[in-house]
Amino acid sequence: MAGKLLKYSLSFLLPFFIIGNVLISHYKGIEPEPGADTMIILGAQVIGNPARPSLTLRERLDVAIPYLKENPNTKVIVCGGQGGRETATESSVMQSYLINNGIESERIYEEDQSTRTAHQFIYSRSLTELGKTVIVTSDFHMLRSFMLAKRSGIEDISGLPAAVGRESRETRRAFFREPLALLNSFLFDHPGQQLDKMTQ
């Protein structure tokens, strides 16, 4: 009985992870539209005291900076609150990093309340009119981010994925974790409903 259960579980899980990662990979190579009105950089963990970007967050910021310099009229929203083990909000660390790398402070909006991807889009919408929007996040995270952005009512979007090394531990973890996170978000994350409550 246990053997049959394991066999049936594997016959479902293996195709699930393969199909999920194929779909995720499709979004890793997308390119941003030039001249966007807004860029949204999704947050990731900050480390240390004083706080600094983790490798994942630094990858996102480093891929965003050239675009922002090439498109000086694009404003940028940096997203992320403060987690229990963090010594500062992710957004404040991101803002400082951008300023230190030549991005004008008046172009930067801080979204410092969110603790989940879906909330980052909801709170970003409350800060400013977004218009044509570029989403910056890790390459494996782009598909889920697109889905949640559209569910949040952000339709005119393109993506700027931050490449993660094939041999990195984060990539190996994402192969198993991200398809499950995508399924969970597909079933349970409906940020547009929360936005409706906020605006009532």
Side-chain angles (χ1 to χ4, degrees):
M1 183 68 179
K4 285 185 177 181
L5 182 60
L6 178 61
K7 180 180 178 181
Y8 291 141
S9 297
L10 289 175
S11 67
F12 167 76
L13 289 174
L14 185 58
F16 169 77
F17 282 109
I18 291 173
I19 294 171
N21 278 287
V22 167
L23 293 172
I24 290 165
S25 294
H26 176 71
Y27 277 75
K28 290 183 178 182
I30 63 175
E31 296 184 359
E33 291 288 333
D37 299 298
T38 309
M39 170 182 283
I40 298 177
I41 309 176
L42 301 186
Q45 184 181 26
V46 298
I47 56 177
N49 188 11
R52 64 186 187 278
S54 62
L55 174 60
T56 297
L57 185 54
R58 194 167 69 246
E59 289 170 341
R60 297 179 187 183
L61 292 164
D62 286 344
V63 79
I65 289 167
Y67 182 97
L68 291 170
K69 290 183 176 180
E70 291 169 9
N71 296 271
N73 293 322
T74 302
K75 58 184 180 289
V76 55
I77 301 175
V78 289
C79 299
Q82 183 173 348
R85 296 183 180 181
E86 295 175 319
T87 58
T89 62
E90 294 168 7
S91 62
S92 66
V93 174
M94 295 163 75
Q95 182 186 46
S96 296
Y97 191 93
L98 292 179
I99 291 172
N100 290 338
N101 282 276
I103 306 304
E104 301 86 352
S105 60
E106 58 268 21
R107 297 171 64 188
I108 305 172
Y109 293 74
E110 269 196 80
E111 184 288 291
D112 59 3
Q113 300 299 311
S114 62
T115 56
R116 300 177 61 234
T117 301
H119 295 163
Q120 294 183 43
F121 294 117
I122 291 173
Y123 295 138
S124 291
R125 282 195 63 185
S126 70
L127 290 177
T128 182
E129 185 71 29
L130 299 181
K132 185 164 72 172
T133 303
V134 172
I135 297 169
V136 179
T137 189
S138 301
D139 54 10
F140 62 82
H141 189 233
M142 189 61 70
L143 172 57
R144 182 155 57 102
S145 299
F146 261 55
M147 180 184 71
L148 292 172
K150 290 184 177 181
R151 285 186 176 183
S152 300
I154 307 172
E155 293 292 341
D156 192 357
I157 57 175
S158 61
L160 179 53
V164 178
R166 290 184 178 182
E167 302 303 320
S168 75
R169 183 175 63 178
E170 188 66 22
T171 297
R172 293 192 294 271
R173 290 174 58 191
F175 180 85
F176 295 101
R177 183 183 61 191
E178 191 60 23
L180 295 172
L182 179 63
L183 178 62
N184 180 74
S185 288
F186 177 77
L187 294 174
F188 301 113
D189 278 336
H190 296 277
Q193 296 176 3
Q194 182 171 344
L195 183 63
D196 290 340
K197 293 179 181 178
M198 291 172 61
T199 56
Q200 285 177 355

